[in-house]
């Protein structure tokens, strides 16, 4: 982090306090906005920051992203583009030869048309190039995992074939696991093996991705620090980076849990917040991966089913997976929660549980964030709005491009999925995010999101405006964190800012993809962010 001068006066630019309101100048004292539209002669001791006609906005926050998880996933091998068993095995063979022998190996990013087709023959080929080294391979959705025989042995997987977690699947051939673990079944390996991957493995990739996000114009993230495989909780590592002055983002993070029995683990994260690293609540998967055809819907999809779900409205999957009990307990112990929800039935049971908890208590006390929302119905949007801003959302316009070819799962409904404008017009507080790690890197820059939101929704979607996107990246995303000191540049709020060479409102939508305004710098808590050299 850069300059330590206590008072700074930003002048001579387009200075936005929020997505709409502009001011002549902005006075920052220490880490917060002190005042706007001041008389410069009254603040002669302040360092003057001449913006030279550039534009300043409240810091952009990517309110659903997997930077820490991606650092782990790509620590051994980048398998993006490897879409069949032979190419996956060959890529691992090449990469593992350069990986420290004493360390477990994680590769990520592969994709298969049919995950259930991974066979014992494929497992044998993987074992032949990995030997007795522990190897985990995650797909590009983060919802499927290949493990070799050494990993299955270490995790004692064979003892759990009759005890697969709800919503999960262990692919079996001739009565033997092939090493393909789907959805919640990933925890059978993750719970036993993720602790073997140390900070030294994850830190370089984490810092690389965080530096890149800062360079793209983000000042904050909500990192889930978990996935269907389990918790990838490295908040302490992020705090060490902050202490060394190497953290270029405000990191909000979650505690991933899978049912009632591990819900209260999130309480252990409370009371540890620093300025830049904050715990904001739990994270729960309600249904499966949209791109895997697993959105939990009331209607039958093209595969002849209704998708996948990890919870129910009753005890049919056991008390541990009862969404009513889960929401009630979250409210009782005071834990905010983010919910992975794609289908309308996943949203329906979650809203039912939230409404029941609100009726019991006379209102919700915790913040509940709905993530993704591929198929919300108009009546459900109204239900969200009636919960008095205790239920908010974060959505990913990049999915309009990244998931454009999934008619094979959802038919024509896919063309109108993720109705973001309708969510906003219904009055639902809506953050905007990337879901990088699932969504590709080239769709992650704020200007790219703006381009997609305004131009690439197709005929079945309502485009967003520039104001919609800026509000979503600022106040909308801040609302998902439960903190009221970020998301705008009002007096008393953190001086988190992004500086662009041009005013985004002056840029034609058609130019955003080919000639986007450059990000000149970002500021965190009143200090200019200096991107450090990557660790060796």
């Amino acid at each position: 982090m850069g300059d330590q001068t206590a008072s700074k006066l930003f002048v001579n630019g387009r200075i936005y306090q929020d997505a709409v309101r502009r001011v002549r100048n902005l006075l920052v004292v220490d880490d917060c906005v002190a005042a706007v539209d001041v008389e410069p002669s009254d603040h002669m001791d302040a360092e003057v920051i001449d913006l030279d006609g550039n534009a300043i906005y409240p810091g952009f926050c990517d309110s659903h992203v997997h930077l820490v998880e991606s650092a782990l996933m790509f620590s051994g091998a980048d398998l993006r583009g490897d879409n069949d068993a032979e190419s996956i095995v060959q890529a691992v063979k090449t990469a593992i030869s350069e990986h420290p022998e004493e360390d477990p190996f994680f590769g990520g990013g592969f994709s298969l048309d049919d995950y259930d087709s991974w066979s014992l023959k494929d497992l044998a080929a993987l074992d032949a190039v990995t030997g007795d080294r522990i190897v985990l391979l995650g797909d590009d959705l983060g919802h499927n995992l290949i493990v070799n025989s050494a990993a299955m042995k270490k995790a004692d997987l064979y003892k759990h074939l009759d005890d697969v977690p709800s919503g999960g699947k262990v692919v079996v051939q001739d009565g033997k696991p092939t090493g393909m673990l789907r959805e919640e079944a990933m925890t059978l390996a993750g719970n036993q093996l993720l602790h073997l991957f140390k900070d030294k493995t994850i830190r370089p990739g984490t810092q690389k991705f965080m530096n890149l996000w800062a360079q793209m114009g983000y000042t904050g993230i909500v990192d889930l620090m978990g996935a269907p495989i389990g918790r990838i909780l490295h908040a302490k590592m992020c705090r060490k980076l902050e202490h060394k002055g190497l953290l270029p983002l405000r990191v909000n993070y979650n505690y991933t849990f899978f049912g009632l029995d591990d819900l209260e683990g999130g309480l252990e994260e409370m009371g540890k917040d620093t300025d830049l690293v904050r715990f904001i609540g739990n994270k729960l998967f309600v249904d499966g991966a949209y791109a895997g055809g697993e959105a939990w819907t009331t209607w039958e999809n093209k595969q002849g089913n209704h998708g996948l779900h990890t919870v129910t409205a009753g005890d049919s999957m056991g008390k541990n997976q009862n969404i009513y009990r889960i929401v009630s307990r979250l409210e009782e112990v005071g834990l905010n929660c983010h919910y992975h929800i794609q289908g309308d039935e996943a949203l329906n049971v979650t809203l039912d549980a939230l409404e029941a908890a609100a009726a019991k208590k006379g209102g919700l006390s915790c913040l509940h964030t709905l993530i993704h929302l591929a198929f919300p119905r108009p009546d459900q949007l109204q239900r969200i709005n009636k919960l008095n801003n205790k239920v908010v959302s974060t959505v990913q316009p990049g999915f309009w491009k990244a998931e454009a070819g999934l008619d094979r799962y959802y038919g024509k409904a896919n063309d109108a999925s993720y109705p973001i404008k309708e969510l906003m017009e219904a009055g639902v507080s809506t953050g905007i995010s990337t879901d990088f790690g699932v969504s590709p890197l080239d769709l992650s820059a704020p200007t790219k999101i703006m381009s997609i939101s305004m131009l690439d929704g197709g005929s079945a979607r309502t485009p967003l405006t520039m104001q919609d996107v800026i509000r979503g990246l600022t106040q909308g995303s801040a609302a998902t964190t439960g903190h009221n000191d970020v998301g705008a540049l009002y007096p008393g709020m953190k001086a988190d800012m992004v500086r662009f060479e041009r005013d985004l409102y002056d840029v034609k939508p058609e130019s955003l993809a080919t000639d986007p305004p450059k990000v000149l710098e970002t500021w965190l808590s009143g200090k200019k962010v200096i991107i450090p050299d990557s660790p060796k």
Side-chain angles (χ1 to χ4, degrees):
M1 302 281 282
D3 202 310
Q4 303 295 318
T5 303
S7 299
K8 300 177 182 67
L9 183 62
F10 293 80
V11 301
N12 190 28
R14 302 276 189 98
I15 302 172
Y16 288 86
Q17 280 191 289
D18 53 33
V20 178
R21 190 177 296 118
R22 273 176 52 186
V23 294
R24 289 185 296 108
N25 57 45
L26 182 83
L27 179 67
V28 172
V29 177
D30 296 325
D31 61 345
C32 291
V33 176
V36 298
D37 290 335
V38 301
E39 286 297 329
S41 59
D42 293 338
H43 301 277
M44 299 298 291
D45 59 336
E47 177 189 2
V48 175
I49 309 295
D50 186 347
L51 297 175
D52 194 25
N54 304 143
I56 284 275
Y57 303 87
F60 291 171
C61 176
D62 185 348
S63 47
H64 183 85
V65 69
H66 304 274
L67 300 189
V68 173
E69 302 92 309
S70 296
L72 168 63
M73 186 168 69
F74 298 122
S75 61
D78 185 345
L79 303 178
R80 286 174 291 188
D82 294 311
N83 301 328
D84 59 69
E86 183 178 354
S87 61
I88 292 170
V89 171
Q90 183 57 48
V92 171
K93 179 181 179 180
T94 300
I96 203 168
S97 64
E98 300 177 359
H99 196 73
E101 287 192 23
E102 67 277 10
D103 292 344
F105 179 93
F106 208 122
F110 74 87
S111 179
L112 297 174
D113 287 334
D114 180 6
Y115 287 89
D116 290 346
S117 68
W118 182 266
S119 66
L120 291 173
K121 178 182 177 182
D122 300 326
L123 175 62
L126 180 63
D127 287 343
V129 302
T130 59
D132 59 1
R133 301 175 68 175
I134 294 172
V135 171
L136 291 78
L137 308 174
D139 78 326
D140 61 348
L141 306 176
H143 287 250
N144 298 279
L145 181 74
I146 296 171
V147 292
N148 68 348
S149 292
M152 284 193 278
K153 181 179 179 181
K154 181 71 173 178
D156 218 1
L157 183 71
Y158 302 96
K159 290 186 177 180
H160 300 285
L161 296 182
D162 295 324
D163 188 28
V164 178
S166 301
K169 179 180 181 180
V170 177
V171 177
V172 174
Q173 181 184 355
D174 300 331
K176 300 177 181 179
T178 67
M180 176 64 75
L181 309 178
R182 307 201 62 186
E183 294 291 348
E184 307 297 284
M186 296 167 66
T187 60
L188 296 175
N191 287 343
Q192 303 300 319
L193 303 178
L194 285 176
H195 71 94
L196 300 176
F197 294 87
K198 305 302 183 183
D199 283 358
K200 69 173 185 177
T201 298
I202 299 172
R203 187 187 302 111
T206 297
Q207 192 164 349
K208 170 188 170 184
F209 284 127
M210 289 188 180
N211 289 349
L212 180 56
W213 254 242
Q215 290 167 342
M216 290 193 292
Y218 292 104
T219 61
I221 59 172
V222 174
D223 195 304
L224 284 300
M225 292 199 189
I229 189 175
R231 286 180 285 278
I232 306 171
L233 200 58
H234 289 268
K236 186 176 181 180
M237 176 189 73
C238 293
R239 292 189 178 105
K240 288 180 179 178
L241 290 174
E242 177 186 7
H243 181 71
K244 294 177 179 178
L246 299 176
L247 194 66
L249 299 170
R250 189 176 300 281
V251 177
N252 306 280
Y253 72 96
N254 294 89
Y255 172 91
T256 300
F257 74 110
F258 298 91
L260 207 57
D261 61 358
D262 62 340
L263 177 155
E264 294 183 34
L267 295 172
E268 298 178 11
E269 296 302 313
M270 289 184 166
K272 300 177 181 178
D273 288 358
T274 54
D275 181 36
L276 297 184
V277 184
R278 297 166 163 181
F279 172 64
I280 61 168
N282 282 17
K283 160 69 185 297
L284 178 71
F285 290 91
V286 176
D287 60 355
Y290 183 87
E294 296 166 344
W296 186 15
T297 56
T298 55
W299 40 272
E300 189 175 280
N301 60 35
K302 290 291 185 179
Q303 300 177 103
N305 61 56
H306 296 268
L308 176 150
H309 58 96
T310 64
V311 298
T312 61
D315 290 342
S316 61
M317 295 169 69
K319 292 181 180 180
N320 194 53
Q321 307 308 129
N322 184 325
I323 187 65
Y324 283 79
R325 296 180 185 274
I326 290 170
V327 170
S328 177
R329 190 59 181 158
L330 288 165
E331 285 284 317
E332 287 173 7
V333 300
L335 280 167
N336 298 338
C337 191
H338 289 219
Y339 305 80
H340 168 109
I341 293 173
Q342 293 284 10
D344 64 328
E345 182 62 5
L347 179 56
N348 205 54
V349 299
T350 305
L351 288 176
D352 286 346
L354 289 166
E355 289 166 345
K360 180 180 178 181
K361 298 177 57 181
L364 297 171
S365 56
C366 296
L367 179 69
H368 302 268
T369 300
L370 312 176
I371 310 167
H372 306 312
L373 300 179
F375 297 124
R377 304 190 306 264
D379 64 293
Q380 293 174 324
L381 301 184
Q382 294 304 319
R383 291 171 66 189
I384 296 170
N385 198 33
K386 290 178 180 178
L387 288 166
N388 298 321
N389 288 323
K390 286 297 185 179
V391 179
V392 300
S393 68
T394 181
V395 295
Q396 299 78 39
F399 282 176
W400 288 0
K401 285 185 74 74
E403 299 183 345
L406 297 176
D407 293 10
R408 67 183 184 276
Y409 294 135
Y410 306 110
K412 290 293 184 182
N414 185 64
D415 297 338
S417 60
Y418 305 106
I420 299 171
K421 185 69 170 182
E422 287 72 15
L423 195 66
M424 294 176 171
E425 290 180 338
V428 178
S429 177
T430 306
I432 284 179
S433 48
T434 65
D435 200 12
F436 168 71
V438 175
S439 188
L441 181 61
D442 62 3
L443 302 183
S444 296
T447 50
K448 185 63 176 179
I449 292 172
M450 293 165 187
S451 175
I452 294 169
S453 300
M454 299 168 77
L455 298 174
D456 294 332
S459 60
R461 296 189 182 98
T462 306
L464 306 187
T465 65
M466 179 62 77
Q467 186 180 120
D468 291 333
V469 181
I470 292 176
R471 183 181 289 112
L473 288 168
T474 55
Q475 289 167 297
S477 284
T480 72
T481 71
H483 291 282
N484 59 12
D485 61 350
V486 291
L489 295 174
Y490 304 146
M493 299 181 75
K494 294 287 187 181
D496 293 0
M497 301 173 283
V498 55
R499 179 178 177 180
F500 281 87
E501 63 173 347
R502 288 178 279 155
D503 191 334
L504 294 167
Y505 287 104
D506 291 343
V507 180
K508 294 181 179 180
E510 296 78 11
S511 301
L512 285 166
T514 57
D515 185 27
K518 291 183 177 63
V519 174
L520 299 180
E521 60 193 23
T522 58
W523 294 71
L524 273 181
S525 289
K527 298 184 179 73
K528 184 175 167 181
V529 173
I530 306 297
I531 302 299
D533 292 333
S534 298
K536 302 300 182 184

